Amino acid sequence: MCRAGAMRATPGAIWTRAGRDSAGRRSFTALAVLGLTACGPPMAALDPAGPQAERIAGLTYLMAALGVAVYVVVIGFLLYAAAHGSRRAVSAEGPATEHRLRVWVAGSVGLTVGVLLALLVLNFSTGRALGRFADTDAITIRVVGQQWWWEVEYMDPAPSRRLITANEIRVPVGRRIRLLTQSRDVIHSFWAPNVHGKIDVIPGYGATTYFQVDEPGVYYGRCAEFCGHQHAHMGFVLIAQPPEEFEAWYRGQLLPAPSPADSLAQLGQEVFLSRGCVMCHSVRGTPAGSRVGPDLTHLSSRRTLAAGTLPNSRGHLTAWILDPQTIKPGVLMPPNQLEPDELRALLAYLEGLR
Ligand code: CUA
């Protein structure tokens, strides 16, 4: 069944639902009943966490209110006509009735055009307002959509502060973010409804969008354009943190992967570098440098595996390494045949990538 509601995960528990104040939740739920929200994971367009999403939510409420008003008026006339129409039609014919009919038809056509024009103007002005959030001081993040995950690159002007990660975007609250979106294969759509609308991610056509998150929290986003077999498993996590927490995280992510802590992890690193893993993944500080799959330098600091498909736990990681095709059929990652002690060592190594 469709789960709808104001959902915001608290840090540390992205699968938990956490609400807003009860009044906001009530009004949101009322609209959810009208089918105005997306179903599924914790993400809600009508629970804005930044100025851009607020504009979009405002437009949604206005359009919904106008739609409801039109509906009520039409149903009112329908009921009136059902109750009185046939009697009038029989009792009053002639030029007076014809004139009145003309006035009514012209009036309703005028009203319809007026409502449509109002919607057009509202839509246009919201689009213009969203375009005015451009900011030269913004943090630039490039997100590259591909089947079926997101590469995330922090494009710091200082080359030593450039950072690549995957499927998890962290931002400081209150800072403007310049989001550059690109695709490596087919058309995707980047959608983090709590912060902005859907952004088409089209091959060969980069787009720039600005957003800002004002409320710290863990938000959820996903691909919103059908892009193949695993379109439904192309999610990401968006974490907004106080600036100092973000900076601490960022500095940690800039470091190369920690050296294996013990002999088991050391063996795991050898497995990683001698088996299929190294062909597709990067771990900074080791010879693994491919960008076919997600960068794993700080894998165990992330909340999810396989682009928001699984929580990042030992059990899920084991299942994913051994047989990704069962979890996400069609994904590029092949199954891995490992001896039990190789698998244990590889898990120890990957879990040490903090
Ligand atoms: Cu990518 Cu749907």
Side-chain angles (χ1 to χ4, degrees):
M1 205 194 125
C2 165
R3 290 190 302 150
M7 293 172 284
R8 160 105 25 103
T10 48
I14 86 153
W15 313 107
T16 326
R17 304 215 271 157
R20 267 196 133 169
D21 56 292
S22 58
R25 178 178 271 246
R26 268 201 304 279
S27 56
F28 178 83
T29 309
L31 278 162
V33 171
L34 293 173
L36 292 170
T37 76
C39 303
M43 44 196 283
L46 296 181
D47 186 18
Q52 294 79 12
E54 241 158 54
R55 284 297 303 226
I56 296 170
L59 177 67
T60 310
Y61 282 120
L62 257 170
M63 287 184 149
L66 259 174
V68 168
V70 168
Y71 181 79
V72 167
V73 168
V74 169
I75 293 297
F77 275 118
L78 188 73
L79 292 177
Y80 181 83
H84 307 285
S86 54
R87 240 181 301 139
R88 286 258 175 104
V90 175
S91 65
E93 280 177 8
T97 311
E98 208 179 304
H99 175 71
R100 214 173 51 224
L101 250 178
R102 272 211 198 98
V103 170
W104 272 105
V105 169
S108 44
V109 168
L111 195 65
T112 305
V113 171
V115 169
L116 289 176
L117 260 177
L119 289 175
L120 184 73
V121 169
L122 285 170
N123 204 343
F124 185 72
S125 68
T126 303
R128 294 264 303 191
L130 291 176
R132 280 197 290 270
F133 284 105
D135 184 349
T136 49
D137 195 33
I139 294 176
T140 303
I141 302 176
R142 180 166 69 177
V143 173
V144 183
Q146 48 216 297
Q147 290 171 318
W148 291 278
W149 62 284
W150 307 91
E151 185 180 78
V152 180
E153 186 171 4
Y154 291 78
M155 312 284 284
D156 198 282
S160 62
R161 276 182 57 88
R162 291 216 167 178
L163 174 65
I164 294 182
T165 176
N167 304 321
E168 191 169 297
I169 304 169
R170 294 207 187 204
V171 297
V173 288
R175 265 300 283 281
R176 202 59 54 80
I177 308 295
R178 181 192 295 117
L179 182 73
L180 308 177
T181 42
Q182 290 174 2
S183 169
R184 213 163 265 166
D185 38 45
V186 299
I187 299 177
H188 304 273
S189 176
F190 180 94
W191 191 35
N194 296 84
V195 302
H196 211 297
K198 294 173 181 173
I199 300 157
D200 283 339
V201 181
I202 299 167
Y205 178 82
T208 304
T209 313
Y210 289 82
F211 75 87
Q212 181 176 317
V213 190
D214 289 332
E215 289 183 49
V218 180
Y219 306 91
Y220 199 88
R222 60 169 44 263
C223 180
E225 176 90 33
F226 181 71
C227 56
H229 202 168
Q230 293 301 324
H231 156 70
H233 289 143
M234 191 171 165
F236 60 91
V237 183
L238 175 69
I239 302 172
Q241 297 175 296
E244 58 283 5
E245 264 179 48
F246 169 79
E247 186 54 33
W249 169 83
Y250 196 88
R251 262 185 266 130
Q253 295 284 309
L254 282 173
L255 298 173
S259 307
D262 52 29
S263 57
L264 187 65
Q266 181 65 46
L267 176 64
Q269 189 184 49
E270 283 161 27
V271 172
F272 186 91
L273 293 174
S274 59
R275 299 303 196 92
C277 323
V278 71
M279 306 297 286
C280 299
H281 295 287
S282 289
V283 175
R284 272 180 287 122
T286 75
S290 173
R291 280 172 78 171
V292 174
D295 182 296
L296 302 182
T297 307
H298 297 287
L299 171 69
S300 67
S301 72
R302 294 183 206 146
R303 280 153 197 269
T304 69
L305 299 170
T309 307
L310 303 168
N312 192 355
S313 69
R314 172 169 270 237
H316 289 106
L317 183 59
T318 309
W320 178 251
I321 291 170
L322 290 178
D323 192 7
Q325 295 299 325
T326 300
I327 297 163
K328 213 165 154 175
V331 71
L332 278 182
M333 182 161 156
N336 288 286
Q337 288 186 332
L338 297 167
E339 296 300 325
D341 49 341
E342 287 180 322
L343 178 64
R344 251 193 317 275
L346 183 60
L347 288 168
Y349 174 61
L350 293 174
E351 283 175 348
L353 298 178
R354 304 218 149 266

